[in-house]
Amino acid sequence: MRSQFAAALLLPLLELASGQTLVVDDQVIPADESTVAPATDVVAADSTTAGVQLFTAETTQLTDDVLANLTNLQLSNITLFSFDANVTETTKVKRSQSGSCKTYPGDFLWPSDLVWKVFNLISGGALIKTKPYASPCYDSFGNYNAAKCATISNNWSNNSYLSTDDPTAINAVLYEGNTCLPPSLSTSDSCTLGGYPTYAIAATGVYQIQLAVNLARNLNLRLVIKNTGHDFNAKSTGAGSLSIWTHKLKSISFIQRYSDSTYTGPALKLGSGVQAYDVYNAAKQYGVTVVGGEGQTVGVMGGYIAGGGHSPMSSLYGMGADQALSFEVVTADGRFVTANANTNSDLFWALRGGGGSTFGVVTSVVVKAFPKIPVAIMSFTLMTGPTVNSTAWWGAIRAWFQDFVKYTDEGQYSYWSIVPLGGDQFMLNMAPWFAPNMTTAQLQASTAPWMATLAELGITLTPVYQQFDNYYDAWVAGFPLESWGTPNIRQASRLFPRANFQDATKFNATFNAFKSVVEDGGFVVGVNVAGDAKGNYPDNAVNPAWRETVFHAIMATIWDTSSTPAQIQAAGDTMTFDWNQRWRDVTPGSGCYLSESDYIEPNFQQAFWGTKYDRLYSLKQKYDPLGVFYAHQTVGSEDWKMSEFLYGNLPSQNSKLCRA
Ligand SMILES: Cc1cc2nc3c(=O)[nH]c(=O)nc-3n(C[C@H](O)[C@H](O)[C@H](O)COP(=O)(O)OP(=O)(O)OC[C@H]3O[C@@H](n4cnc5c(N)ncnc54)[C@H](O)[C@@H]3O)c2cc1C
Ligand SMILES: *[C@@H]1O[C@H](CO)[C@@H](O)[C@H](O)[C@H]1NC(C)=O
Ligand SMILES: *[C@@H]1O[C@H](CO)[C@@H](O)[C@H](O)[C@H]1NC(C)=O
Ligand SMILES: *[C@@H]1O[C@H](CO)[C@@H](O)[C@H](O)[C@H]1NC(C)=O
Ligand SMILES: *[C@@H]1O[C@H](CO)[C@@H](O)[C@H](O)[C@H]1NC(C)=O
Ligand SMILES: *[C@@H]1O[C@H](CO)[C@@H](O)[C@H](O)[C@H]1NC(C)=O
Ligand SMILES: *[C@@H]1O[C@H](CO)[C@@H](O)[C@H](O)[C@H]1NC(C)=O
Ligand SMILES: *[C@@H]1O[C@H](CO)[C@@H](O)[C@H](O)[C@H]1NC(C)=O
Ligand SMILES: *[C@@H]1O[C@H](CO)[C@@H](O)[C@H](O)[C@H]1NC(C)=O
């Protein structure tokens, strides 16, 4: 398997399929256009592909002709990078050849340095050997740098713009093993690779993604995909892996009139590396609104849209995944394909809610654009204190919860946190309440009954109201910059259906279950949002529970960094098996949001996909029968297992991935 390539392989140039010149070695390949294209683009869709022009990054593709030329150019054997001719046909043979675990560094079949060198050459120098994000704070990787360490440490928790620019940094460091933290957060005095990938390919073109997928499949390597690394459950990392880093695929173009059998109207085509701040800013320039999440640096076309995606606009327009019209994607066989209503429609169905890192590497998505819309927002803090005792405070929360259905029916959304301050003290931080298509006066009218109840409870609330004529400005003003990289937190969540707020008995049980978790020390981030766009949503793989939801609640347990492993496991188990069980008990048959869920959610297939799971599993077998793509708790992940656990029952990303 090793060293298929001749050593004297310093190819000066590769001619790629599009006729573009790819300069390898130390020169720069044609960059993906990262600027926003002029708004005059008008592209009519047809039935064969999206009908939308490919981005420059997508025109540079690996084809059979290119592979043939690799041989011509004295590459003695192209097997390492070849496509899978017929995955279905060859599955059994390949599975039996590849053994039960992925191939890891130190294994006999792990590629030699020469193979990595060749891969780097033919990918235009895009291969990066991992040095963990915080490694400049330590001697371990030969890059100690006190100034850089200070920048990283000081920005670690509160500036995700820096961390999302790193090829392999991830938010959910706990499941990686907390192996390379800033010294102030670390209980160790060293930095190790831990659960981070061995190599990452900084993709600027589709061909690099194809080469990586083919190499990983042909050599049975663990393959991961990282976009921003925000995933709650460390699904964008893995020890001993090759990672595809999609962050640089940032192209954006506006399509004034996109048309297919399901939709005619304006759309945006967005590279899969586009982050929320990129897309909202571009949409503002084009005078439209795009559905995306709240976090500034969270990706919108990677894990977000793949997982379903809830948005400040969802109560009006539905889930992020509902907006997708067409995907460009590299599948497990290495081919670059289109998936939309007319082409590969089953893959299109699965990519909208079936989860990231499962069916392929998405390079771009065409999504609907909506008209520019005014937005009113309000922010406030409501705390217990000398004039507000906990009875009054809970009374205020209860009265607010009672109107959750009304608010989402009116198209509103609110994003907030509840912090138990110890003893009988609590704080609600509304950041923000977001009312699309409403004026401040309309928002005030809508919330007047609640404000009256607050007055009856002796509570004076003075919200800050702001009104904007477009989504972007309201979003910038309303939402905080998200936190990052907390080593001592675990989260879990639940989707609460509308019916729980409409029936008095159910409401009491729901409210009491919610309250008991906070009283027992649970932190909560709550979102009052509906996912059904008033019934106007397409059939796709989004969790059916989302269509009933008016309340998505995330709970967190946070422990002291000096806690013992036994204490950490106890805190996590209490959350998973006691606190969240109380929420499950009042929401039978519902589920939770896969992108913001418990790392060890029991029966995750039902919880994340409900009745959609069986079809998703069979599509996984069709599109990726070899298990090229794997991430924790994705469709088909039950066929695999991590070989070691952290704190008793948390699969460690710093261990080997093997067949179950
Ligand atoms: C601070 C914060 C705020 C959030 N706010 C919201 C919100 O408002 N609404 C909401 O719905 N969610 C929200 N989320 C959850 C968010 O949707 C998920 O964390 C999501 O996984 C992020 O996707 P990413 O591509 O940015 O991150 P990554 O961690 O890079 O990727 C997430 C998963 O998707 C896979 N993936 C990424 N790109 C691709 C690709 N191109 N092709 C195939 N697979 C890919 C990765 O392998 C991984 O499994 C938030 C998360 C955080 C941390
Ligand atoms: C290329 O390598 C593969 C795998 O090692 C081997 O099966 C095949 O015969 C080789 N082909 C050539 C032309 O050498
Ligand atoms: C393959 O190489 C030949 C000879 O250099 C060149 O003419 C052709 O364009 C190349 N094909 C591809 C697909 O790059
Ligand atoms: C792959 O093999 C299966 C089973 O033999 C066959 O039905 C299918 O048509 C083949 N697909 C391609 C693309 O050759
Ligand atoms: C945070 O990062 C920025 C950008 O690198 C840097 O200018 C700034 O000094 C950092 N902050 C601190 C407190 O080090
Ligand atoms: C992060 O916190 C540091 C202080 O620890 C501060 O200097 C910096 O401005 C903050 N950065 C952001 C983006 O809020
Ligand atoms: C809490 O405050 C309310 C309203 O001010 C008051 O009626 C009630 O008696 C107080 N309860 C307790 C236990 O102090
Ligand atoms: C916004 O409100 C106007 C009237 O106030 C209404 O005509 C329009 O349909 C609303 N838009 C949406 C998306 O609900
Ligand atoms: C719900 O709880 C409230 C307050 O505790 C109580 O007054 C009411 O009777 C309860 N309703 C039902 C249907 O149980």
Side-chain angles (χ1 to χ4, degrees):
M1 292 283 280
R2 299 172 162 223
S3 311
Q4 273 93 345
F5 299 110
L9 175 72
L10 293 173
L11 309 177
L13 286 178
L14 285 180
E15 296 290 328
L16 288 189
S18 63
Q20 291 188 359
T21 300
L22 172 71
V23 182
V24 293
D25 216 359
D26 56 359
Q27 298 192 46
V28 183
I29 66 155
D32 189 17
E33 70 274 35
S34 55
T35 52
V36 170
T40 49
D41 280 351
V42 183
V43 185
D46 63 31
S47 61
T48 52
T49 68
V52 179
Q53 280 172 351
L54 292 175
F55 289 136
T56 306
E58 294 174 325
T59 59
T60 335
Q61 295 163 22
L62 188 65
T63 64
D64 294 289
D65 287 347
V66 171
L67 283 176
N69 270 5
L70 293 186
T71 304
N72 296 341
L73 289 165
Q74 295 158 29
L75 281 175
S76 62
N77 193 327
I78 61 162
T79 308
L80 286 181
F81 297 105
S82 62
F83 293 113
D84 210 336
N86 189 333
V87 256
T88 318
E89 189 92 302
T90 53
T91 298
K92 279 190 187 147
V93 182
K94 289 215 171 156
R95 277 193 182 160
S96 64
Q97 280 173 350
S98 60
S100 69
C101 298
K102 298 278 183 180
T103 298
Y104 281 91
D107 291 351
F108 176 68
L109 292 176
W110 178 255
S112 65
D113 287 351
L114 180 62
V115 171
W116 291 112
K117 206 168 186 174
V118 168
F119 180 39
N120 184 39
L121 275 174
I122 64 175
S123 61
L127 191 67
I128 299 167
K129 193 161 192 183
T130 303
K131 290 183 177 173
Y133 178 43
S135 61
C137 296
Y138 302 88
D139 288 325
S140 326
F141 287 80
N143 59 341
Y144 176 78
N145 180 320
K148 266 194 189 157
C149 175
T151 297
I152 291 163
S153 298
N154 294 329
N155 284 278
W156 176 273
S157 304
N158 70 349
N159 188 352
S160 53
Y161 284 89
L162 287 190
S163 42
T164 55
D165 275 347
D166 182 87
T168 50
I170 58 158
N171 174 26
V173 288
L174 176 71
Y175 308 120
E176 168 280 310
N178 283 337
T179 66
C180 190
L181 298 170
S184 60
L185 294 174
S186 185
T187 53
S188 145
D189 56 7
S190 71
C191 161
T192 59
L193 199 53
Y196 292 105
T198 305
Y199 289 98
I201 186 103
T204 50
V206 163
Y207 75 101
Q208 293 156 324
I209 297 172
Q210 295 178 291
L211 288 169
V213 168
N214 286 351
L215 184 72
R217 187 191 59 253
N218 291 327
L219 294 182
N220 190 37
L221 308 180
R222 182 165 180 196
L223 184 68
V224 308
I225 307 163
K226 181 198 156 173
N227 184 25
T228 66
H230 266 297
D231 196 86
F232 271 45
N233 289 338
K235 289 187 288 191
S236 32
T237 202
S241 67
L242 168 61
S243 174
I244 296 170
W245 188 35
T246 58
H247 178 65
K248 297 186 180 206
L249 301 173
K250 279 197 173 270
S251 295
I252 296 177
S253 70
F254 182 55
I255 304 153
Q256 284 187 358
R257 187 174 174 281
Y258 180 96
S259 182
D260 69 11
S261 55
T262 66
Y263 175 81
T264 299
L268 268 86
K269 174 167 166 152
L270 301 160
S272 56
V274 161
Q275 290 165 279
Y277 67 94
D278 298 312
V279 59
Y280 297 153
N281 190 7
K284 181 188 175 184
Q285 289 182 44
Y286 295 130
V288 295
T289 309
V290 169
V291 175
E294 60 83 22
Q296 290 178 32
T297 63
V298 178
V300 190
M301 296 301 134
Y304 170 85
I305 200 162
H310 62 83
S311 166
M313 302 302 293
S314 283
S315 301
L316 273 188
Y317 296 133
M319 304 296 289
D322 299 342
Q323 320 310 325
L325 297 164
S326 190
F327 293 81
E328 304 294 339
V329 51
V330 176
T331 44
D333 57 4
R335 303 284 174 183
F336 182 53
V337 304
T338 298
N340 59 32
N342 305 311
T343 308
N344 297 312
S345 58
D346 56 356
L347 181 58
F348 179 53
W349 182 86
L351 289 171
R352 292 174 298 158
S357 199
T358 305
F359 300 101
V361 186
V362 170
T363 63
S364 71
V365 192
V366 178
V367 296
K368 293 178 188 174
F370 295 96
K372 181 176 167 181
I373 206 168
V375 178
I377 62 172
M378 107 174 137
S379 303
F380 58 80
T381 299
L382 176 53
M383 265 172 92
T384 52
T387 61
V388 182
N389 62 32
S390 65
T391 310
W393 189 86
W394 279 114
I397 302 297
R398 189 175 197 284
W400 168 45
F401 274 39
Q402 269 177 319
D403 281 339
F404 271 10
V405 171
K406 177 185 105 131
Y407 296 134
T408 57
D409 280 354
E410 292 173 2
Q412 302 181 51
Y413 157 106
S414 63
Y415 174 83
W416 43 270
S417 57
I418 284 180
V419 182
L421 298 170
D424 225 9
Q425 305 297 305
F426 305 95
M427 176 174 72
L428 165 67
N429 184 29
M430 176 59 63
W433 189 310
F434 199 90
N437 209 23
M438 287 173 85
T439 61
T440 295
Q442 286 171 318
L443 175 57
Q444 284 169 331
S446 173
T447 53
W450 184 50
M451 296 294 170
T453 304
L454 294 185
E456 283 167 24
L457 291 166
I459 298 174
T460 315
L461 192 67
T462 45
V464 176
Y465 295 95
Q466 288 172 279
Q467 193 179 313
F468 302 90
D469 75 349
N470 70 89
Y471 174 86
Y472 176 74
D473 291 348
W475 173 80
V476 167
F479 290 95
L481 183 57
E482 57 272 11
S483 68
W484 176 274
T486 311
N488 54 332
I489 189 171
R490 283 195 50 213
Q491 287 136 305
S493 70
R494 196 70 187 163
L495 296 171
F496 291 83
R498 175 180 298 263
N500 283 47
F501 297 81
Q502 290 173 322
D503 173 277
T505 308
K506 276 189 185 167
F507 178 74
N508 277 5
T510 301
F511 188 72
N512 292 337
F514 177 84
K515 183 174 178 236
S516 74
V517 168
V518 176
E519 286 177 331
D520 285 356
F523 293 72
V524 172
V525 169
V527 192
N528 177 203
V529 62
D532 71 337
K534 303 193 171 73
N536 187 24
Y537 57 87
D539 176 38
N540 56 29
V542 168
N543 190 343
W546 263 118
R547 308 309 185 181
E548 307 293 327
T549 295
V550 295
F551 179 35
H552 162 47
I554 305 169
M555 61 171 77
T557 182
I558 301 174
W559 53 88
D560 199 274
T561 42
S562 62
S563 301
T564 64
Q567 288 168 330
I568 294 172
Q569 178 173 358
D573 284 355
T574 296
M575 181 188 70
T576 299
F577 302 112
D578 175 0
W579 294 354
N580 208 14
Q581 192 56 44
R582 302 178 202 172
W583 290 7
R584 289 183 205 109
D585 287 344
V586 296
T587 56
S590 186
C592 50
Y593 177 37
L594 71 92
S595 283
E596 297 176 317
S597 68
D598 193 333
Y599 190 64
I600 51 169
E601 178 67 27
N603 194 6
F604 73 88
Q605 298 91 337
Q606 186 284 327
F608 297 169
W609 293 287
T611 54
K612 307 276 167 104
Y613 192 75
D614 290 348
R615 184 174 180 206
L616 283 165
Y617 186 81
S618 65
L619 288 170
K620 174 71 174 176
Q621 304 317 304
K622 174 179 174 183
Y623 282 99
D624 185 17
L626 297 170
V628 174
F629 300 111
Y630 167 89
H632 180 66
Q633 288 193 339
T634 49
V635 170
S637 61
E638 62 268 46
D639 296 335
W640 297 85
K641 62 179 192 314
M642 301 306 305
S643 51
E644 291 170 20
F645 293 82
L646 296 159
Y647 307 111
N649 55 8
L650 308 177
S652 172
Q653 295 309 318
N654 183 10
S655 72
K656 289 187 178 179
L657 176 65
C658 300
R659 288 196 176 275

